[in-house]
Amino acid sequence: MPTVIGRDELISRVGRADSPHTMFSTLATQLRRVVPYDAAVWRATDPETGMITSPILAENIEGHSCAVYWQYELFTEKINVFRDLALAPVPVASLWESTGGEPDRSAVYRGFLAPRGVVDELRAVLRVDGRPHGYVSLFREKGRPPFNRAERRFIEELGTPVARQLRSYAKHRPETSAGGQTGTGLLLFDTQGTLISANDDARRFLEEMPDGPTSVTALGIRIPLWVHGTAMRARATAENHGGDTARIRMRSRTGRWLLCHASCLRGADGRPGVSAVIIERAPISDVTPLIVQAYELSERELEVTECVARGLSTSGISEELRLSPHTVRDHIKAIFEKLGVSSRGELVGKLFTEYYEPLPSGSTGRRA
């Protein structure tokens, strides 16, 4: 297999990408020269829930088919499931190897891959510090050999650097605008995952979504995979008696943070019924953890930062965290350096204000 670009050079190019979508495009262009594949799906994930969020880049796969694939993942697949790979010692696996050369054991293979002429799928979870920031699926069609050990190892070595780069994009501030959509968007999906109703706020929020795989509905509304996937996850967890809610944080085309959460309602007989999906502006409490992770603050530095945000003095922080004043000052200095600030006021502003665009003048929308 001719190697056109090495791992370090690929990581360097990824690091120069100015957005997650550009980064996925860079990987798509360069990686197939090293690890050949015929189709792929690159997905960002919410590091807290491990659920797919925006952006998503699909190569040589119809956008509406991505929802079908994800339905297998949530409801019937048992082999190389992403939520299991996210916790595995090695978060990379190929279908051919995992099934001992018998991919028919896989539900997604029988129902989705085989009909499309795919012979093997390589899955990878992009994780850093134990949190998943992305999922990758690479597909090879019949006529090519299955993914080999060296190729799996190459993808594994890319995982953490790429995840760290994905995490860093949370530092990007939203575009300055005259205002944005407020209110609460509501969508209802039936037991088959079909959209049956949506309010006007939901339609407006959906218009703010970045490009990516979508499902076309009878209502004439295109539903992004990450929104549809949230509804499907709520139903899947309800059917497995593991709760009935799901949530992701996502960004609009202008970089504004939104919260999408779904709940599967139950009928009088207790069976899962309609799934309700709500889209609204993300409160500061949901955005700040992502920003903190992006700046790679340690757990102790995060504790100190939270104390600073509450207005505690050095002695107050020292007493609460049982640290010496000298240690507290050292932590604050390290925090300042990581965030590029020089005062406590700048620190609080950078973490709790800059990433949350004020509501338009006169708006009655909710702000957390």
Side-chain angles (χ1 to χ4, degrees):
M1 180 181 63
T3 301
V4 176
I5 183 173
R7 181 181 63 87
D8 291 343
E9 175 60 23
L10 181 53
I11 292 172
S12 176
R13 294 189 185 189
V14 164
R16 295 194 291 270
D18 60 4
S19 71
H21 195 277
T22 302
M23 189 197 74
F24 284 156
S25 296
T26 299
L27 281 167
T29 300
Q30 302 296 330
L31 183 62
R32 66 169 61 218
R33 302 177 184 178
V34 185
V35 181
Y37 60 87
D38 299 295
V41 183
W42 307 83
R43 315 167 189 85
T45 57
D46 186 307
E48 179 182 318
T49 63
M51 293 173 55
I52 55 174
T53 185
S54 62
I56 297 175
L57 174 65
E59 298 181 81
N60 298 329
I61 292 182
E62 311 91 338
H64 66 274
S65 295
C66 292
V68 178
Y69 172 96
W70 204 248
Q71 191 166 5
Y72 279 104
E73 167 74 13
L74 293 176
F75 292 96
T76 58
E77 186 56 74
K78 303 297 181 184
I79 298 172
N80 294 343
V81 179
F82 279 112
R83 63 177 177 273
D84 295 335
L85 278 178
L87 301 174
V90 177
V92 179
S94 69
L95 182 60
W96 189 268
E97 180 194 34
S98 297
T99 61
E102 299 178 1
D104 281 332
R105 292 166 49 195
S106 161
V108 72
Y109 179 81
R110 295 191 304 270
F112 186 87
L113 301 179
R116 289 167 170 78
V118 174
V119 69
D120 196 14
E121 175 189 7
L122 180 65
R123 291 185 170 195
V125 175
L126 309 174
R127 70 184 183 192
V128 59
D129 294 337
R131 298 184 178 95
H133 287 265
Y135 296 154
V136 180
S137 298
L138 305 180
F139 306 105
R140 272 190 181 160
E141 297 176 354
K142 293 179 180 178
R144 288 185 184 269
F147 292 98
N148 61 41
R149 181 176 300 178
E151 292 168 330
R152 294 193 300 271
R153 179 64 177 171
F154 189 90
I155 299 299
E156 179 188 350
E157 292 174 346
L158 287 179
T160 296
V162 173
R164 179 171 283 109
Q165 183 66 19
L166 273 173
R167 181 175 65 180
S168 74
Y169 292 122
K171 293 186 289 187
H172 291 186
R173 294 192 296 176
E175 296 177 11
T176 303
S177 66
Q181 172 62 24
T182 59
T184 301
L186 175 63
L187 304 103
L188 298 179
F189 295 83
D190 66 15
T191 56
Q192 303 302 311
T194 301
L195 180 68
I196 57 176
S197 185
N199 69 358
D200 289 341
D201 283 338
R203 293 171 183 265
R204 285 189 283 267
F205 272 120
L206 292 174
E207 290 174 355
E208 292 188 13
M209 298 293 174
D211 293 335
T214 60
S215 298
V216 182
T217 68
L219 301 181
I221 303 174
R222 289 185 172 273
I223 304 297
L225 178 56
W226 49 88
V227 174
H228 198 183
T230 305
M232 288 193 286
R233 171 61 73 86
R235 181 171 181 79
T237 54
E239 290 185 355
N240 292 324
H241 305 287
D244 58 4
T245 60
R247 68 197 300 274
I248 59 170
R249 292 157 293 186
M250 56 193 179
R251 304 193 83 164
S252 69
R253 285 196 306 271
T254 59
R256 293 197 312 124
W257 286 99
L258 303 175
L259 178 65
C260 176
H261 49 107
S263 180
C264 185
L265 311 181
R266 295 181 183 273
D269 59 1
R271 294 180 180 178
V274 171
S275 294
V277 176
I278 292 175
I279 304 175
E280 57 190 345
R281 297 185 65 178
I284 295 176
S285 58
D286 276 299
V287 176
T288 301
L290 296 174
I291 310 304
V292 168
Q293 292 170 26
Y295 281 105
E296 301 188 4
L297 299 185
S298 68
E299 292 297 326
R300 180 62 82 184
E301 289 169 346
L302 174 57
E303 291 176 341
V304 172
T305 299
E306 290 172 342
C307 290
V308 170
R310 287 161 46 202
L312 296 183
S313 64
T314 297
S315 60
I317 298 173
S318 174
E319 181 178 349
E320 178 154 329
L321 299 183
R322 297 182 179 181
L323 300 172
S324 71
H326 177 73
T327 299
V328 171
R329 284 190 287 269
D330 283 345
H331 280 309
I332 292 177
K333 180 180 178 181
I335 294 166
F336 283 2
E337 290 178 353
K338 287 183 178 181
L339 271 76
V341 298
S342 58
S343 71
R344 297 187 180 205
E346 283 186 78
L347 171 63
V348 173
K350 193 153 194 173
L351 288 181
F352 299 96
T353 304
E354 290 186 6
Y355 297 92
Y356 198 85
E357 184 182 4
L359 289 171
S361 177
S363 170
T364 58
R366 179 171 67 90
R367 179 174 180 179

